[in-house]
Amino acid sequence: MVRGRGTWLLAGAMTVACMVLIGPSAPSDAFLAGPLPVGAVRDVVPNRVMTWNICNPCEGSNAGRAAEIATYAPQVIGLQEACVRDVESIRDRLESRYGLVYRVEYGTVLRNRGRCGGWPWSPGAYGQAILSAAPMTDRVNVEYPDGGSEDRGYMAVTTTVGDRPVRVFNTHLAQRRQEAVRADQVGVLAAEVARHDRAIVLGDFNAVPNAPELTGMWALAADADPHCRPSPTGTCEPTTDWHSKFDYVFLRDLVPLGHGVHPTSYSDHHLLHTDVDTSRGS
């Protein structure tokens, strides 16, 4: 009996040790998301794009995150602060529970067990991700030369929005109070965006619209919200819990048809989507 009890204690200790090693980002999907709200989209909207900083580390359920995305069912989704394991969980739930099938490409900028779990010798991948209902090609993943207080970068793919191929970028700029770093990052990003006649730039820019470091982006593209401009008179809807607009859908030679900003309990950033008229671009 003593010997058996010792075996059980050893097994229990090993289980606890494994849980500690795996880390805090193991998917917290202990419950199934409830039914979608009345008026939710039932299939992918082919000309809709979305950006969402899903917040990491945060106490959020991937089941809940999937339900939020499924409510609006965009063709293209740009996620920031995304662990690969969380994106896989969200993607699986979008398909199994809501019938929404997405491909995925990753823009990993670091591997961090504290953020994304995994083993000490194989920590989880963290950065950006793009999900698209259409095939994606020509993926690039670029880390900015200076990430600021944490590695940052952008990724890009070519995919279909509406019925036309579009170059889609997804980025996350340096944290607040790092204006000079963000200015350099925008310079790197804008130089690549400028190479494309038609582009969509999604992301968390960590800067308000009239911040000087965003000048390079405004020179190339307009925000999906036609009332939002880089001037004190612009009326830009906040996209964060601290009442600032940090998240953007920049459109280059594309026309917005409408947009939505939706606060969510699963992140300190709001979910932002826009519908695009691709037929009126060049």
Side-chain angles (χ1 to χ4, degrees):
M1 290 293 291
V2 173
R3 188 175 181 183
R5 182 171 179 270
T7 301
W8 280 108
L9 288 173
L10 177 60
M14 292 179 66
T15 300
V16 171
C18 287
M19 292 175 67
V20 170
L21 283 172
I22 289 172
S25 188
S28 54
D29 296 340
F31 65 91
L32 290 175
L36 294 179
V38 175
V41 174
R42 297 299 173 183
D43 201 357
V44 168
V45 181
N47 66 328
R48 178 170 295 171
V49 297
M50 172 188 292
T51 183
W52 192 15
N53 182 323
I54 60 175
C55 187
N56 181 290
C58 280
E59 295 297 327
S61 161
N62 290 326
R65 290 167 173 160
E68 293 277 350
I69 293 170
T71 299
Y72 308 101
Q75 172 85 351
V76 176
I77 307 157
L79 300 178
Q80 303 90 42
E81 294 197 24
C83 293
V84 167
R85 290 198 302 160
D86 289 330
V87 175
E88 289 174 344
S89 175
I90 293 167
R91 181 188 177 205
D92 289 346
R93 286 182 177 275
L94 285 168
E95 181 172 359
S96 62
R97 185 161 180 81
Y98 304 109
L100 302 173
V101 179
Y102 289 98
R103 300 158 176 86
V104 63
E105 294 286 354
Y106 294 100
T108 296
V109 294
L110 60 87
R111 297 184 181 276
N112 188 303
R113 188 170 67 87
R115 279 190 180 272
C116 295
W119 300 99
W121 54 89
S122 182
Y126 170 85
Q128 287 74 248
I130 293 178
L131 287 77
S132 177
M136 292 178 277
T137 60
D138 303 321
R139 181 190 72 91
V140 299
N141 182 35
V142 176
E143 289 192 38
Y144 293 123
D146 182 0
S149 56
E150 181 181 83
D151 292 349
R152 296 291 164 92
Y154 77 82
M155 63 178 299
V157 300
T158 298
T159 190
T160 301
V161 178
D163 59 355
R164 303 184 70 178
V166 178
R167 193 65 173 166
V168 178
F169 294 80
N170 182 20
T171 192
H172 187 194
L173 300 190
Q175 295 171 347
R176 288 176 287 178
R177 297 180 293 278
Q178 299 181 81
E179 292 84 356
V181 175
R182 286 197 299 275
D184 289 343
Q185 292 171 348
V186 168
V188 173
L189 175 63
E192 183 60 26
V193 173
R195 297 180 58 246
H196 301 274
D197 295 331
R198 186 170 57 251
I200 298 173
V201 186
L202 311 171
D204 173 6
F205 284 73
N206 268 317
V208 295
N210 62 348
E213 61 264 34
L214 295 190
T215 301
M217 282 306 308
W218 287 112
L220 292 172
D223 188 63
D225 179 356
H227 301 293
C228 185
R229 293 291 181 268
S231 68
T233 59
T235 54
C236 303
E237 190 171 357
T239 64
T240 66
D241 287 353
W242 50 93
H243 309 296
S244 295
K245 179 177 172 66
F246 277 7
D247 306 272
Y248 297 82
V249 176
F250 282 112
L251 302 177
R252 177 169 169 81
D253 198 30
L254 292 168
V255 179
L257 294 175
H259 76 286
V261 179
H262 307 282
T264 167
S265 61
Y266 300 102
S267 175
D268 54 1
H269 286 254
H270 304 345
L271 186 153
L272 171 62
H273 66 77
T274 188
D275 294 350
V276 179
D277 183 357
T278 58
S279 67
R280 294 164 62 183
S282 62

